[in-house]
Amino acid sequence: MLDEIQKRLLREIADLHTVPSGAYNIRSNSKLEARNTTANIDIVSKTEKSGIDIYIKPGTKNESVHIPVVLSESGLKETVYNDFHIGEDCDVVIVAGCGINNCGTGDSEHDGVHRFIVGKNSKVKYVEKHYGEGDGRGKRILNPVTEVYQEEGSSVEMEMVQIKGVDSTVRTTLSKLEKGAKLVVRERLLTHGSQTAVSNYTTELNGEGSSADVVSRSVAKEDSYQKFVSRIVGNAPCTGHTECDAIIMNNARILAVPELEANDLDASLIHEAAIGKIAGEQIIKLETLGLTEQEAEEQIVNGFLK
Amino acid sequence: MLELKNLSFKVIDETGNEKTIIDDVSFTVKDDSFVVITGPNGSGKSTLARLIMGIEKPSAGRIFFDGEDITDKSITERANMGISFALQQPVKFKGIQVIDLLRLAAKKNLTVSQACEYLSFVGLCARDYVNREVNASLSGGELKRIEIATLLARNTKLSVFDEPEAGIDLWSFQSLNRVFENMRMDTKGSILIISHQERILNIADEIIILSGGKIIQSGAKDDILPSLLKDSTQAACSVLEGRA
Ligand SMILES: Nc1ncnc2c1ncn2[C@@H]1O[C@H](COP(=O)(O)OP(=O)(O)OP(=O)(O)O)[C@@H](O)[C@H]1O
Ligand SMILES: [Mg+2]
């Protein structure tokens, strides 16, 4: 049974109030807590290493898979491999996420390696949320690796969210797109305290007519550090756009590194990056509505990350 | 309601010299009155409004609101006492929606239909706008109307508008004037508008003319407006004839 802390972590990362409908695999403190499969979606534990294989039958529409992970014991370290095999012509939503509560002194670390093989013309929405809490001295560490292989005509939308609570993350995301495939990435990140967060996106546009739009919106507060590297490689006639839009506060530091590589005359690639503090006039405007300076900052940050 | 006593505002300019932007200005906005401040570009009108709201601090002089000295009060405190300010250039926010801004202004969780009412009032087809972000995708005139709608939602004792007509098309002018007239009837508060527009000057009770940071003329509309219009025609003519 899940205790209250574990339930709360689940709520934060997967908006799950009860067990989800559809397929799911809930992992808690390195053990399988609950699993459900459906006629179209099968989940099988790996034998040679920890993790699962998720098989989604061709033509599966309007189904969802939830694979939350919660860690509430201090000092746990794990690496988990989850492979998604998505057939042709599917339309599915996949929700992953990791919540860590570390009240102890040992560091807790979860490294999830997620691999997606997206079949022809399939549509996938992938949501990944990270959340950490607990006031122990032990660190909360997450290092997710995501690999996405998109076959012809497929489309993937990834929403990556990490709001506070995680001390250290290195997020590595590699995508390879074939003909006509489309990728949209929306990252939202808030760091505070002395947290560090590094995001490395590499997107290879290998097929004619493929496209990618990789956008990060982030806020770095206090003494935190963020690094955002987004590399788009155009190996065919394709379109790519990447953008980093960041608010910096207090003593925080942000490094944004957009990289574009065009290896085809008809590759059209764009990058944009903007980093700055909250505009003084925005705070003043909200103060004229009766908010205090601190309330104004909160509203501006909340809106920005919405 | 609002009283300015010998208010001055000085800055040190780029060359290190002291520059007087507002020079010993005193006036009173009475309860339930409608006052328009006008004057040439750069005469200090926006600065005066910023001093009233507390965005700038005066170098000398005092400001009273309902008899209380508010000179040392913060923007937030003044806002909560009942002063509102619509900026000449509205501020944009990424991610904050029109409805969020109206809710912050109203200090309550307005329903969508309540929010729409304020927007319709300023001539925006409400359903299209409530969920729009208050960002650069809105046109200047749209932002300006939303700014006015936030003041309607606040509904305070004193509303200060800095050139509300700027960027608003002529066709909407009448509705804009109706907004101010309704505000007067509904809130029983006072309105202070900075404007260059004859049509707005026309509905004022009192007009104050600012020039070079000083009040050069003030009084009831009927006393000020006719000579103002005559002067400005003459001024314009002399410019045209190259005599200025
Ligand atoms: N902080 C400041 N430092 C230097 N100069 C300033 C400062 N604030 C205002 N000024 C100057 O004071 C003068 C008055 O500016 P203000 O914006 O109040 O004029 P205004 O009457 O509102 O003009 P407009 O009709 O163009 O809106 C201008 O010359 C402006 O450049
Ligand atoms: Mg002005």
Side-chain angles (χ1 to χ4, degrees):
Chain A
M1 264 314 284
L2 291 169
D3 63 23
E4 279 312 308
I5 292 176
Q6 291 169 315
K7 281 185 191 158
R8 192 175 61 246
L9 291 173
L10 267 183
R11 259 199 312 275
E12 290 290 343
I13 58 172
D15 292 327
L16 291 180
H17 297 273
T18 53
V19 271
S21 60
Y24 60 83
N25 189 90
I26 303 174
R27 183 184 170 93
S28 170
N29 293 325
S30 298
K31 287 185 290 287
L32 174 62
E33 179 73 37
R35 175 178 295 172
N36 188 48
T37 59
T38 68
N40 293 323
I41 302 176
D42 199 16
I43 302 176
V44 184
S45 296
K46 284 189 187 293
T47 46
E48 76 285 14
K49 52 191 174 187
S50 68
I52 49 178
D53 280 292
I54 297 111
Y55 296 96
I56 302 179
K57 279 191 188 159
T60 303
K61 303 252 182 202
N62 302 319
E63 287 202 42
S64 64
V65 189
H66 283 79
I67 53 156
V69 172
V70 295
L71 265 67
S72 57
E73 286 169 14
S74 186
L76 276 182
K77 270 187 199 168
E78 58 177 16
T79 305
V80 177
Y81 299 85
N82 298 328
D83 291 338
F84 294 82
H85 310 268
I86 301 154
E88 296 182 2
D89 296 310
C90 291
D91 187 348
V92 291
V93 175
I94 298 167
V95 181
C98 181
I100 301 186
N101 176 298
N102 191 352
C103 287
T105 51
D107 293 353
S108 296
E109 177 169 341
H110 173 84
D111 299 338
V113 181
H114 289 179
R115 204 155 55 169
F116 295 82
I117 296 142
V118 185
K120 265 191 190 169
N121 300 321
S122 273
K123 215 174 130 190
V124 176
K125 180 170 166 94
Y126 177 60
V127 180
E128 187 182 286
K129 288 190 183 172
H130 287 161
Y131 177 76
E133 61 177 26
D135 36 28
R137 275 189 295 115
K139 288 206 155 75
R140 297 165 292 265
I141 303 168
L142 292 169
N143 295 315
V145 175
T146 309
E147 290 175 21
V148 186
Y149 300 95
Q150 290 188 238
E151 290 175 10
E152 205 175 312
S154 62
S155 88
V156 172
E157 188 185 330
M158 298 210 258
E159 195 183 317
M160 317 290 232
V161 184
Q162 181 178 311
I163 306 295
K164 286 193 167 178
V166 182
D167 293 295
S168 164
T169 27
V170 178
R171 179 198 303 281
T172 310
T173 306
L174 170 70
S175 309
K176 295 188 181 198
L177 283 75
E178 288 177 19
K179 192 172 165 186
K182 186 176 168 203
L183 172 70
V184 173
V185 177
R186 293 288 176 264
E187 177 184 85
R188 278 174 293 149
L189 181 64
L190 173 70
T191 54
H192 68 138
S194 54
Q195 299 172 349
T196 62
V198 177
S199 297
N200 278 307
Y201 288 93
T202 304
T203 309
E204 291 181 12
L205 299 171
N206 297 329
E208 187 179 342
S210 55
S211 70
D213 186 26
V214 180
V215 177
S216 165
R217 265 201 183 180
S218 71
V219 176
K221 287 188 180 177
E222 297 161 10
D223 296 306
S224 64
Y225 174 76
Q226 296 180 5
K227 181 174 173 186
F228 175 78
V229 184
S230 177
R231 174 175 167 81
I232 299 185
V233 184
N235 292 323
C238 60
T239 51
H241 171 250
T242 183
E243 182 180 336
C244 164
D245 199 348
I247 292 180
I248 188 165
M249 296 167 80
N250 319 109
N251 301 312
R253 291 177 302 136
I254 298 179
L255 175 63
V257 192
E259 286 181 39
L260 303 178
E261 182 179 325
N263 296 317
D264 187 288
L265 179 63
D266 290 312
S268 156
L269 309 175
I270 298 173
H271 75 68
E272 294 172 82
I275 304 172
K277 63 172 190 246
I278 295 177
E281 56 169 24
Q282 291 183 329
I283 292 181
I284 289 173
K285 173 62 205 178
L286 296 187
E287 285 177 341
T288 68
L289 300 181
L291 279 69
T292 63
E293 182 177 346
Q294 202 189 338
E295 289 165 344
E297 273 185 8
E298 273 167 30
Q299 288 294 335
I300 293 163
V301 167
N302 281 347
F304 187 70
L305 293 175
K306 202 158 68 183
Chain B
M1 157 81 41
L2 178 77
E3 193 181 358
L4 273 57
K5 277 192 180 160
N6 307 104
L7 213 62
S8 290
F9 180 67
K10 298 185 166 102
V11 293
I12 306 292
D13 69 11
E14 317 79 60
T15 55
N17 295 322
E18 195 179 79
K19 190 175 159 195
T20 302
I21 314 251
I22 295 295
D23 191 0
D24 195 23
V25 165
S26 302
F27 68 84
T28 303
V29 177
K30 294 197 281 284
D31 287 354
D32 302 325
S33 66
F34 190 128
V35 178
V36 176
I37 301 179
T38 192
N41 293 133
S43 56
K45 304 180 298 299
S46 294
T47 306
L48 199 56
R50 293 165 71 82
L51 286 164
I52 293 168
M53 193 66 235
I55 300 169
E56 305 283 3
K57 295 282 171 200
S59 322
R62 309 303 297 175
I63 303 173
F64 297 86
F65 184 63
D66 278 343
E68 193 179 337
D69 187 337
I70 60 163
T71 320
D72 298 317
K73 294 210 181 296
S74 69
I75 303 172
T76 311
E77 286 171 309
R78 294 181 202 208
N80 290 328
M81 288 175 80
I83 304 179
S84 294
F85 178 36
L87 285 98
Q88 186 169 1
Q89 258 138 16
V91 178
K92 294 167 206 141
F93 297 90
K94 275 184 190 161
I96 294 185
Q97 292 166 323
V98 172
I99 189 159
D100 300 331
L101 202 62
L102 289 171
R103 282 177 178 155
L104 289 173
K107 293 222 158 201
K108 61 175 184 224
N109 207 5
L110 293 177
T111 62
V112 171
S113 64
Q114 285 169 320
C116 284
E117 229 170 278
Y118 293 122
L119 293 174
S120 315
F121 223 78
V122 295
L124 291 174
C125 182
R127 299 266 159 208
D128 301 346
Y129 285 94
V130 274
N131 293 321
R132 290 275 297 269
E133 282 184 29
V134 189
N135 62 18
S137 75
L138 290 166
S139 78
E142 288 167 341
L143 281 165
K144 212 60 194 181
R145 290 170 194 234
I146 290 163
E147 183 82 357
I148 296 167
T150 60
L151 261 63
L152 293 177
R154 270 175 63 71
N155 189 22
T156 53
K157 278 193 261 179
L158 174 66
S159 301
V160 182
F161 294 88
D162 194 350
E163 298 196 24
E165 77 274 14
I168 294 199
D169 47 89
L170 280 175
W171 181 84
S172 326
F173 233 97
Q174 245 165 355
S175 346
L176 189 65
N177 274 355
R178 211 174 312 127
V179 168
F180 299 133
E181 279 171 342
N182 279 334
M183 255 184 122
R184 270 187 95 174
M185 286 196 286
D186 291 355
T187 67
K188 294 183 292 289
S190 307
I191 299 177
L192 180 62
I193 298 187
I194 295 167
S195 177
H196 299 288
Q197 258 296 331
E198 190 187 333
R199 292 203 237 186
I200 289 181
L201 291 164
N202 238 322
I203 57 171
D205 297 329
E206 281 177 54
I207 295 175
I208 295 172
I209 305 175
L210 207 64
S211 180
K214 280 190 191 348
I215 295 182
I216 53 163
Q217 223 185 339
S218 69
K221 177 197 71 180
D222 293 333
D223 298 334
I224 305 282
L225 194 55
S227 64
L228 180 66
L229 293 174
K230 201 167 114 249
D231 284 355
S232 58
T233 324
Q234 277 172 356
C237 288
S238 42
V239 170
L240 283 177
E241 289 162 20
R243 281 188 274 118

